[in-house]
């Protein structure tokens, strides 16, 4: 890609949209009411809307390194607040991906500067599930499992927020943990049992 191509692509994209609906952008400018909040990795290979077949207006997107939801991160906390409490999305997705560079980095002992505190959140996930992970002899299988467990723990972080807890009481909000498999292009639902997790942790994290 280069800059010229991007601006050319944009012209073609506008023409495509207008050829289907001449009021496309006028309608788009009226507002948004997405059903989904998607929290995923910044990895250039994991294109949120594209892999889900989403159109503009369908999905509120937040991406960072390794799809993290740390409770001290003002950015992800603000995104959850706005999407859940104001846009009233009915689904919150945390989507990880196999062969995630952020997760890989957290499995190695290297000083990565400003990335250290960010990746430490993934090391905490490893520590929480150390028994299970250490028992996996195959390194690639262990790496993939950490990607899945990281998704699960970030979903738990989503559930810890007051916005999501309020939404659980007010409406049928669903939280989903997914993994994108770069090798096959498949989106995998981890089918995390949030009712079980919630019953186990809510005594500690209940804020309302
Ligand atoms: Co990644």
């Amino acid at each position: 890609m280069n800059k010229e191509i991007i601006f050319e692509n944009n012209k073609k994209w506008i023409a495509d949209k207008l050829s289907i609906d001449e009021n496309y952008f006028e309608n788009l400018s009226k507002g948004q009411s997405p059903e989904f909040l998607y929290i995923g990795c910044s990895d250039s290979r994991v294109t949120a809307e594209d892999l889900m077949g989403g159109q503009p207006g369908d999905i509120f997107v937040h991406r960072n390194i390794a799809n993290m939801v740390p409770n001290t991160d003002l950015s992800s906390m603000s995104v959850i607040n706005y999407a859940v409490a104001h846009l009233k999305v009915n689904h919150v997705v945390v989507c990880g991906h196999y062969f995630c560079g952020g997760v890989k980095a957290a499995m190695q002992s290297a000083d990565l500067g400003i990335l250290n505190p960010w990746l430490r959140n993934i090391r905490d996930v490893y520590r929480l599930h150390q028994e299970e992970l250490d028992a996996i002899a195959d390194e690639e299988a262990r790496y993939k499992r950490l990607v899945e467990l990281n998704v699960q723990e970030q979903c738990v972080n989503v559930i810890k927020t007051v916005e999501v807890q309020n939404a659980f009481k007010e409406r049928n909000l669903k939280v989903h943990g997914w993994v994108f498999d770069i090798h096959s292009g498949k989106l995998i639902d981890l089918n995390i049992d949030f009712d079980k997790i919630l019953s186990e942790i809510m005594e500690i994290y209940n804020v309302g």
Side-chain angles (χ1 to χ4, degrees):
M1 283 204 108
N2 63 46
K3 191 187 148 195
E4 283 69 32
I5 287 172
I6 288 171
F7 280 82
E8 269 312 305
N9 286 346
N10 176 248
K11 279 185 200 154
K12 284 184 204 145
W13 179 75
I14 293 168
D16 279 354
K17 295 292 183 198
L18 292 178
S19 73
I20 297 163
D21 176 4
E22 62 180 15
N23 299 316
Y24 187 82
F25 293 102
E26 200 184 311
N27 288 334
L28 212 54
S29 67
K30 286 176 186 160
Q32 60 169 333
S33 56
E35 270 289 300
F36 280 82
L37 162 60
Y38 168 100
I39 300 170
C41 185
S42 297
D43 193 306
S44 60
R45 301 165 296 177
V46 188
T47 53
E49 289 96 338
D50 201 33
L51 73 90
M52 294 167 73
Q55 296 301 316
D58 288 342
I59 310 161
F60 200 73
V61 173
H62 180 70
R63 292 169 70 180
N64 62 34
I65 293 173
N67 42 270
M68 304 301 290
V69 187
N71 66 357
T72 51
D73 174 35
L74 196 54
S75 181
S76 60
M77 289 301 116
S78 302
V79 164
I80 289 172
N81 177 281
Y82 188 65
V84 174
H86 297 277
L87 294 175
K88 310 273 184 196
V89 298
N90 285 315
H91 301 270
V92 180
V93 174
V94 177
C95 185
H97 67 102
Y98 295 137
F99 307 100
C100 179
V103 173
K104 181 97 193 166
M107 289 177 80
Q108 292 158 350
S109 50
D111 181 354
L112 297 166
I114 189 69
L115 283 173
N116 291 336
W118 190 257
L119 298 177
R120 197 176 304 138
N121 294 300
I122 308 173
R123 294 180 197 276
D124 290 341
V125 173
Y126 196 108
R127 185 164 54 84
L128 268 175
H129 298 274
Q130 187 167 9
E131 207 176 323
E132 178 187 342
L133 288 163
D134 282 353
I136 303 170
D138 181 66
E139 200 178 328
E140 190 174 303
R142 190 163 68 244
Y143 177 21
K144 288 175 104 171
R145 185 61 185 144
L146 181 55
V147 165
E148 295 170 0
L149 289 169
N150 185 47
V151 166
Q152 180 179 310
E153 291 303 327
Q154 301 320 312
C155 286
V156 171
N157 282 344
V158 167
I159 290 168
K160 289 173 191 169
T161 64
V162 70
E163 293 86 352
V164 169
Q165 289 183 28
N166 286 340
F168 278 150
K169 288 176 203 154
E170 288 165 13
R171 60 187 197 273
N172 192 25
L173 179 88
K174 294 264 182 241
V175 178
H176 311 271
W178 297 349
V179 170
F180 176 68
D181 182 5
I182 285 183
H183 261 278
S184 64
K186 260 194 192 153
L187 200 53
I188 299 157
D189 189 345
L190 296 176
N191 289 311
I192 299 166
D193 186 351
F194 288 110
D195 289 336
K196 182 171 172 282
I197 293 171
L198 270 172
S199 68
E200 286 167 2
I201 68 165
M202 280 320 280
E203 201 180 325
I204 302 167
Y205 293 108
N206 196 350
V207 286

